[in-house]
Amino acid sequence: MLTNHLKIAFRALWRRKFTTGLNVIGLALGMTAFFFLMEFASFHAGFDSFQANADRLFRIVGTTPEGSQDNVSPMMLAMRSQVHGIEAIPTFMTSASGIVTYKPDNASGASQAVTFKEEDVAYSNNDVFKAFTFQFLAGNADLDKPNTMVITASAAQKYFACGENYQRVIGKRLLVANQFAPTEYAVTGVVRNLPENSHLRGTMFFSLQTLANPTNLGDNSWARLVPDNGSAFLTGYLLLRDGTQASSLAKQISELSKKVDPSANITWHLQPIRTIHTGNGFSDPLPNAAALKYVVIAVSIALFVLSLAWINYINLSTAFGLSRAREIGVRKTIGATRGHLVVPHLLECAMLSVAALLLALTSVELLQSYFNSLLGAELHLGYVFQYGIGAYGIGAMLLGAILSGSYVALVLTGVKPIIVLRGNFTRSANGRFVRKTLVIVQFAVSIAFIAGTLIILRQLDFMSHRDLGMNLEQLLVIDGPQIVENNSLSGNPALVFKQEVERLPFVKQVSGSQNIPGQGYNFSAQGIMRPSGHSDDAKQSYKILQADENYFNTYQMTFDQGKGFQKSDNLGGFKFRSVVLNEASVTQLGFKSSSDAVGQFIQWGNPSEKGQRWQICGVVKNYHHKSLHDAIEPIIFLPSAAATGYFSLRVTIENVQANMAVLEALYKKILPGNPFTARFADDIFQKQYENDVRIGNLFAVFSIMAIVIACLGLFGLTAFAAESRRKEIGVRKVLGATDASIIALLSTEFLKLVAIAFVIACPTAFWLMSVWLEDFAYHVELRSGFGVLVFISSGIIAALIAFITIAAQARKTAQANAIESLRYE
Amino acid sequence: MIKLRGIQKFYRTDEVETTALNGVSFDIQNGEFVAIMGPSGCGKSTLLNILGMLDNPDSGEYHFYEHEVASYTERQRAELRKKSIGFVFQSFNLIDELTVYENVELPLLYLGFDAAYRKQRVHEVLEQMQMMHRRNHFPQQLSGGQQQRVAVSRAIVGKPLVIFADEPTGNLDSKNGSEVINLLTELNKSGSTVVMVTHTPEFAEYASRTIHLFDGQVVTENFKSTAKAA
């Protein structure tokens, strides 16, 4: 019976190639979009699920009553003996980036050394390897001993060209030059690269214990490891013993914290590691994407697009299925029960779904690299099937298939044989209503997608064209050196490099600074206020940036009042005569205006107790130091002629490549051992919008998919409407109707639905996109002419596409010979 | 044995009520070949639908053998119809997706017969109808006459008590029409009860009795001692 049913279902589908084709393509499109989006969602939602101890592993996060967040703990190591239920305390210090060099034993000169700048590196203790899942390819972790390190396979290959023979790497030594004193570390273990979906990044883990030796710290005594306490700059995790309650443990830690430092009012929480990636973003240096919003967006779009495809299936099947009413009537007449009839229809639906699924999986396979490049990610289908969210997604897909298949089967098999055989079977008003509603839903979603895409594109355009208050064009940024051998006769080689660069004919201006626009500041500071200020003012936070006297000119910033500082304004070390503020600082400090501020003094801490007192020499107009996501923050610029973290060069536009080669040669000559990295300032700034551009791409692609699916459905429904009104159209033509009037007749009905969809879509899209735009401190205004224009254009685009789809089909009917139509009846 | 007494059927729209059958009464004996004739709209098809249990009368009695069908639910009628009645339609109503063999097999499937019996019985009927050589063809590959022969095969394959034929020659040319009438006559001779609606007096002559309907009422009943020879 089943093979019989299958055979018949196949023949039925084959005979109606047009609808079958529309159905399969529509469903496959929906499923393809669904799979891509679920890959994205599962990837982010499944972060850290690969960790074997994920259920027992937590990050320690502290919050203060003022709302500031902290996840470092000076009493981290004290917990081991004083808090019960802890199995391991994996600890990191991430401020470790620097230059790593391998000098082979037989190498006589530095030219044979292998040197790279490493960003993803950290100091850690040995508990890290007990608690987190690492796969050792060679050796093991021995990080409780100083001067040892564990590296990943990629790092091993990069420095030692060891191929797959990782054992060869064990015992090799790497020299690390970062903010601490240059120190050598011996490799004790090689681990497999961390998976893409690990919140923990890193290619090298240096023994934290090394920093217990003060000679290894250089000038950074702040990082000293205090026995039993650790240092104040650690990021901590806890691996709990089996059966330990995280909440009760957090309470113990908070109590201990009060004991250790009664003045600190910090509440400690344990954050499950699985929620770190998608959970609350804490201001910690570990990557923390706060991606939950994007997961929700992706899953919603996935379900929407898939629903559109099922709606199509329902619409097309019920519409065209009515032409099968005769067959069902006949079957019923000769004895079929509803059960007999439902099964073949469900089988048809199953076969369609399987065909669409195969097509979708093939498309995903073929388009994966394109999708990945759109998102800048390394996704694959495996993610969908790996984690929980994917299973729910697949469940939703199956449910959709079953529900829509059953609905179609029940509608189609519900016909009464007598009505069919009497020959006066027409489309039921009920079915028409359902189909119309579904078309409205489809177009509402499509219009919302189009509007969303237009708004995102406009916001991206707005961001890239907004006057930033500085000029980033033709501005080249070279990373400053990390290895500086200060014993040269001519002075600090980094400054020598700056002087040499200034002399180059293609360089118009040069500035050295400790950080740059689009990237960040030196640090944040509290306790800065006017001498006459209120004590509460000290709670305000300021961004501090150290730069040389050319910074403002080179970036072409404008002074509102006063002028920039002089070289001599730096009194040596961390002492300053004058500073520059931006307008936001002027306001926050409580000055009436920039002119009111210039010449005045501000202080950091109490000047009588090692605090500082600075005169304001100028106020620079507000500029966007960070992306338009962030409001302009109060910045205080401190003069530092020795600021060599980054060199910013205003260059001429000609011969960029040749000039770059000149710069590189000069850099390598004066600053040997440091890798040369040069980027354009506007690229650095635009990089901040990478995620936004990806979301824009995602929306564009899926709105195209949504509208294509909706149009496939509309195309089919128009074909059906044309078919069932064939006689009417024939009569109208005999009576003198033109082709155009017939096209209008068929189009109007559907365009009315698009109009209703428009009315529904506008407020929904308005609300959703307003929420999205809230993420930007500076954004396009939806309650404006632009907003109106976006929504009207979205409606027009949808209506136009709908009209073209309908008209293509209606034209065929309109041009058919009227006599044929009448004879047909 | 079929007995109709005072059968009435009305069609109602919002404003108009049309009487399709108005007190129709007659009997049909086992083995009879009855033709129902009358002008368009006189209620022939409505009567056949009620006889075929596709529709219920609004009033009156309908005895089908020992069953009082008028009071049956749709499900009961469907069950009885499946076992006892074979239909032949003017437009053949074969299922396009099924081959000749599968079309004929369909009623046996719904009656729940096993595969071996179905095969044997379908072969038997197709042999009888001389359609065996076409068993793997699809309906659209056959001529009208052949399609109607398949339809007749399908009507008789379940060995029904009665065959109802609604203008079975309406879509056929005279040659094919005659062939179908001959088939029905043969079936009648071999013991089947046949009730046929027709417009064509010539074909009605093959029946042993002709019932004439006009405006929903039986106006005459012509009995023949012997029906026209096939």
Side-chain angles (χ1 to χ4, degrees):
Chain A
M1 193 85 164
L2 187 68
T3 34
N4 194 35
H5 279 324
L6 278 173
K7 193 168 67 185
I8 291 162
F10 177 77
R11 282 190 206 145
L13 291 173
W14 189 248
R15 263 179 61 81
R16 289 183 298 276
K17 292 186 193 74
F18 176 68
T19 26
T20 304
L22 285 184
N23 268 329
V24 170
I25 293 171
L27 279 177
L29 262 177
M31 287 177 182
T32 306
F34 176 81
F35 279 126
F36 276 140
L37 288 160
M38 291 311 285
E39 278 179 5
F40 175 85
S42 298
F43 172 76
H44 286 289
F47 247 65
D48 291 308
S49 296
F50 70 92
Q51 296 285 355
N53 293 326
D55 292 339
R56 298 190 287 139
L57 197 47
F58 297 83
R59 180 166 69 168
I60 316 172
V61 180
T63 50
T64 61
E66 289 84 35
S68 74
Q69 291 162 332
D70 205 348
N71 73 328
V72 295
S73 159
M75 42 90 207
M76 191 106 53
L77 301 178
M79 290 189 291
R80 197 184 293 275
S81 53
Q82 298 187 37
V83 176
H84 302 293
I86 298 175
E87 190 171 316
I89 309 179
T91 309
F92 295 91
M93 201 195 58
T94 49
S95 322
S97 67
I99 309 293
V100 178
T101 308
Y102 172 57
K103 287 183 184 162
D105 296 339
N106 56 355
S108 48
S111 59
Q112 278 167 286
V114 186
T115 298
F116 292 101
K117 186 172 185 185
E118 296 292 349
E119 299 285 352
D120 275 350
V121 289
Y123 289 92
S124 64
N125 64 359
N126 217 42
D127 275 5
V128 164
F129 294 89
K130 278 188 206 157
F132 288 93
T133 302
F134 285 93
Q135 278 183 286
F136 276 88
L137 299 166
N140 52 33
D142 200 8
L143 296 196
D144 285 340
K145 277 192 198 143
N147 301 94
T148 60
M149 73 190 295
V150 171
I151 61 175
T152 60
S154 63
Q157 281 162 353
K158 191 162 83 169
Y159 284 88
F160 308 108
C162 60
E164 296 291 306
N165 183 5
Y166 298 109
Q167 198 58 44
R168 207 157 69 78
V169 173
I170 303 300
K172 295 259 195 277
R173 305 178 82 79
L174 289 170
L175 177 68
V176 178
N178 53 16
Q179 59 177 326
F180 304 114
T183 311
E184 269 201 334
Y185 293 84
V187 177
T188 65
V190 179
V191 291
R192 207 179 277 286
N193 292 343
L194 284 162
E196 286 283 315
N197 56 352
S198 162
H199 86 278
L200 198 66
R201 311 298 317 156
T203 54
M204 296 182 169
F205 300 91
F206 313 124
S207 131
L208 183 63
Q209 201 56 39
T210 317
L211 299 183
N213 180 348
T215 56
N216 291 335
L217 289 173
D219 299 329
N220 299 286
S221 52
W222 54 265
R224 192 166 64 91
L225 270 190
V226 180
D228 285 345
N229 267 354
S231 104
F233 292 85
L234 297 180
T235 299
Y237 294 79
L238 290 180
L239 178 66
L240 307 194
R241 286 186 201 287
D242 273 334
T244 308
Q245 285 291 322
S247 53
S248 71
L249 204 124
K251 213 180 276 174
Q252 281 188 65
I253 295 172
S254 296
E255 281 161 16
L256 174 67
S257 164
K258 272 189 199 114
K259 232 192 288 175
V260 171
D261 181 2
S263 66
N265 192 4
I266 302 176
T267 311
W268 295 94
H269 314 271
L270 295 188
Q271 182 183 25
I273 60 157
R274 276 207 204 94
T275 69
I276 291 179
H277 182 66
T278 51
N280 288 330
F282 290 103
S283 56
D284 72 315
L286 288 169
N288 189 343
L292 186 62
K293 186 168 69 181
Y294 291 120
V295 170
V296 172
I297 291 177
V299 172
S300 318
I301 299 181
L303 292 178
F304 261 130
V305 176
L306 196 63
S307 319
L308 291 188
W310 288 122
I311 288 175
N312 250 6
Y313 167 74
I314 291 175
N315 267 355
L316 289 174
S317 303
T318 52
F320 283 92
L322 297 180
S323 64
R324 300 174 69 183
R326 185 186 65 93
E327 173 208 324
I328 288 157
V330 172
R331 282 177 184 270
K332 283 193 166 179
T333 305
I334 58 178
T337 60
R338 203 157 182 184
H340 285 126
L341 298 170
V342 166
V343 175
H345 278 94
L346 286 178
L347 276 177
E348 271 181 39
C349 173
M351 286 169 88
L352 273 180
S353 308
V354 169
L357 184 67
L358 292 178
L359 190 60
L361 290 175
T362 314
S363 314
V364 168
E365 213 49 48
L366 291 176
L367 300 173
Q368 186 76 61
S369 58
Y370 174 68
F371 180 69
N372 283 352
S373 66
L374 267 186
L375 278 184
E378 280 301 317
L379 299 178
H380 54 82
L381 259 181
Y383 285 120
V384 178
F385 301 102
Q386 220 164 337
Y387 305 116
I389 190 165
Y392 286 121
I394 301 287
M397 197 161 105
L398 281 177
L399 191 71
I402 293 168
L403 285 181
S404 52
S406 310
Y407 175 77
V408 170
L410 289 177
V411 168
L412 294 189
T413 57
V415 293
K416 292 211 164 105
I418 173 68
I419 297 176
V420 181
L421 297 175
R422 207 184 275 153
N424 52 1
F425 184 75
T426 49
R427 292 168 294 166
S428 77
N430 206 9
R432 267 208 305 271
F433 176 75
V434 172
R435 272 196 296 284
K436 279 181 179 174
T437 311
L438 295 180
V439 168
I440 291 170
V441 172
Q442 278 189 322
F443 270 87
V445 173
S446 300
I447 292 170
F449 264 124
I450 296 172
T453 308
L454 292 178
I455 291 166
I456 293 173
L457 293 180
R458 176 72 189 97
Q459 174 66 17
L460 290 176
D461 183 68
F462 169 79
M463 292 191 294
S464 61
H465 287 103
R466 185 174 162 99
D467 181 9
L468 296 173
M470 60 184 162
N471 181 5
L472 297 180
E473 275 167 37
Q474 295 170 52
L475 200 58
L476 193 67
V477 175
I478 299 173
D479 287 8
Q482 212 110 22
I483 304 172
V484 181
E485 294 182 10
N486 225 346
N487 51 6
S488 80
L489 289 173
S490 49
N492 182 342
L495 294 176
V496 173
F497 173 74
K498 195 168 83 167
Q499 284 156 13
E500 292 292 321
V501 165
E502 244 170 340
R503 292 201 194 112
L504 292 171
F506 59 87
V507 176
K508 296 179 193 164
Q509 275 158 321
V510 184
S511 156
S513 57
Q514 289 303 89
N515 218 329
I516 47 169
Q519 203 156 276
Y521 308 93
N522 276 37
F523 55 88
S524 304
Q526 289 179 321
I528 297 172
M529 55 192 283
R530 296 166 70 177
S532 58
H534 188 269
S535 61
D536 273 355
D537 295 351
K539 285 183 182 163
Q540 305 277 19
S541 177
Y542 294 85
K543 300 291 174 189
I544 307 294
L545 183 65
Q546 283 179 274
D548 67 11
E549 63 284 0
N550 295 331
Y551 179 79
F552 307 104
N553 282 340
T554 308
Y555 278 89
Q556 295 181 1
M557 291 164 185
T558 319
F559 275 87
D560 189 31
Q561 288 292 325
K563 53 185 174 31
F565 32 62
Q566 306 293 312
K567 221 177 215 174
S568 56
D569 285 332
N570 183 316
L571 302 171
F574 202 79
K575 289 210 169 97
F576 316 95
R577 179 183 299 127
S578 332
V579 297
V580 170
L581 310 183
N582 70 346
E583 290 171 300
S585 283
V586 168
T587 313
Q588 186 164 290
L589 281 161
F591 292 110
K592 282 194 201 106
S593 66
S594 298
S595 55
D596 182 33
V598 171
Q600 300 289 314
F601 286 87
I602 54 172
Q603 64 184 43
W604 187 16
N606 189 341
S608 59
E609 299 166 8
K610 284 188 178 176
Q612 302 231 18
R613 190 175 157 88
W614 308 322
Q615 185 170 29
I616 300 162
C617 64
V619 175
V620 73
K621 282 199 166 171
N622 278 341
Y623 73 97
H624 290 279
H625 192 84
K626 299 288 287 286
S627 78
L628 268 61
H629 277 282
D630 302 314
I632 291 174
E633 292 167 299
I635 312 174
I636 298 176
F637 301 90
L638 305 179
S640 171
T644 53
Y646 297 88
F647 302 109
S648 306
L649 287 62
R650 174 83 52 196
V651 293
T652 54
I653 201 160
E654 299 85 18
N655 304 327
V656 172
Q657 267 186 321
N659 295 343
M660 208 70 111
V662 171
L663 285 168
E664 183 167 2
L666 192 65
Y667 190 91
K668 289 204 162 152
K669 192 178 117 200
I670 302 174
L671 301 162
N674 288 292
F676 175 79
T677 314
R679 298 162 290 170
F680 279 98
D682 46 2
D683 292 341
I684 297 171
F685 205 85
Q686 289 303 323
K687 204 169 157 51
Q688 300 177 97
Y689 301 126
E690 249 177 7
N691 261 335
D692 304 311
V693 171
R694 282 174 194 157
I695 291 292
N697 289 340
L698 207 65
F699 252 77
V701 168
F702 291 112
S703 46
I704 292 172
M705 279 185 141
I707 193 100
V708 168
I709 294 175
C711 284
L712 276 179
L714 199 54
F715 187 71
L717 286 182
T718 319
F720 171 73
E723 189 68 23
S724 52
R725 292 173 76 172
R726 205 168 153 141
K727 184 179 171 190
E728 173 198 339
I729 292 165
V731 172
R732 281 177 187 267
K733 285 193 74 173
V734 167
L735 296 176
T738 60
D739 290 356
S741 69
I742 301 291
I743 293 173
L745 175 78
L746 285 168
S747 313
T748 318
E749 189 184 349
F750 289 110
L751 289 179
K752 268 186 214 157
L753 304 183
V754 176
I756 298 172
F758 174 76
V759 172
I760 295 168
C762 283
T764 319
F766 180 88
W767 176 70
L768 287 174
M769 292 318 291
S770 301
V771 172
W772 182 75
L773 285 173
E774 272 171 19
D775 252 7
F776 298 87
Y778 306 90
H779 56 77
V780 291
E781 193 44 66
L782 290 187
R783 286 175 208 278
S784 66
F786 159 72
V788 175
L789 195 68
V790 161
F791 289 108
I792 290 180
S793 332
S794 309
I796 290 176
I797 292 173
L800 208 62
I801 296 175
F803 178 73
I804 293 169
T805 312
I806 299 164
Q809 187 63 46
R811 193 170 154 265
K812 223 167 64 184
T813 315
Q815 290 180 341
N817 189 335
I819 301 304
E820 290 280 312
S821 308
L822 295 176
R823 191 186 297 150
Y824 170 83
E825 280 295 320
Chain B
M1 167 78 175
I2 291 170
K3 195 199 281 180
L4 292 183
R5 290 294 175 267
I7 293 291
Q8 288 197 303
K9 182 76 185 173
F10 310 104
Y11 292 118
R12 296 178 184 90
T13 60
D14 287 344
E15 289 168 8
V16 187
E17 182 177 280
T18 317
T19 306
L21 295 175
N22 191 7
V24 173
S25 305
F26 58 77
D27 296 348
I28 297 171
Q29 304 303 326
N30 254 350
E32 259 196 293
F33 185 170
V34 178
I36 300 171
M37 288 195 74
S40 277
C42 70
K44 300 187 296 288
S45 291
T46 305
L47 178 58
L48 200 71
N49 286 336
I50 288 170
L51 285 168
M53 297 175 212
L54 292 168
D55 208 355
N56 253 354
D58 289 324
S59 66
E61 289 174 29
Y62 173 17
H63 296 274
F64 185 87
Y65 292 79
E66 68 275 22
H67 304 275
E68 209 310 73
V69 181
S71 59
Y72 271 24
T73 63
E74 195 169 331
R75 185 182 285 268
Q76 287 170 311
R77 281 188 282 134
E79 195 57 33
L80 183 57
R81 185 172 70 224
K82 178 162 85 173
K83 288 186 199 145
S84 330
I85 294 172
F87 283 96
V88 178
F89 304 98
Q90 177 179 3
S91 49
F92 325 133
N93 278 339
L94 296 177
I95 293 171
D96 294 341
E97 286 81 20
L98 303 184
T99 61
V100 165
Y101 180 95
E102 289 161 347
N103 262 294
V104 177
E105 186 193 24
L106 209 53
L108 300 180
L109 266 173
Y110 295 142
L111 284 166
F113 287 111
D114 63 30
Y117 173 78
R118 294 201 306 264
K119 190 173 176 190
Q120 175 234 319
R121 176 66 186 147
V122 173
H123 276 232
E124 207 174 282
V125 173
L126 287 177
E127 293 278 5
Q128 184 188 349
M129 294 290 154
Q130 295 168 10
M131 286 302 292
M132 197 57 187
H133 63 298
R134 295 282 193 180
R135 66 184 179 281
N136 291 326
H137 286 66
F138 286 94
Q140 57 275 27
Q141 297 170 311
L142 304 178
S143 72
Q146 286 173 325
Q147 287 193 47
Q148 196 59 301
R149 257 199 275 170
V150 177
V152 174
S153 306
R154 186 178 63 185
I156 64 170
V157 74
K159 297 183 179 167
L161 294 168
V162 188
I163 297 164
F164 290 109
D166 191 357
E167 304 206 31
T169 59
N171 277 8
L172 299 175
D173 58 29
S174 60
K175 180 171 169 282
N176 278 312
S178 303
E179 267 184 38
V180 168
I181 292 296
N182 287 340
L183 267 179
L184 292 175
T185 313
E186 289 295 319
L187 288 171
N188 175 245
K189 278 187 181 164
S190 58
S192 298
T193 309
V194 178
V195 179
M196 172 178 76
V197 165
T198 183
H199 265 311
T200 319
E202 189 193 329
F203 292 146
E205 283 181 24
Y206 287 84
S208 52
R209 175 157 59 115
T210 304
I211 296 170
H212 289 271
L213 284 185
F214 189 78
D215 280 353
Q217 287 178 312
V218 176
V219 284
T220 55
E221 276 188 72
N222 303 334
F223 287 89
K224 283 187 207 143
S225 50
T226 48
K228 186 173 174 177

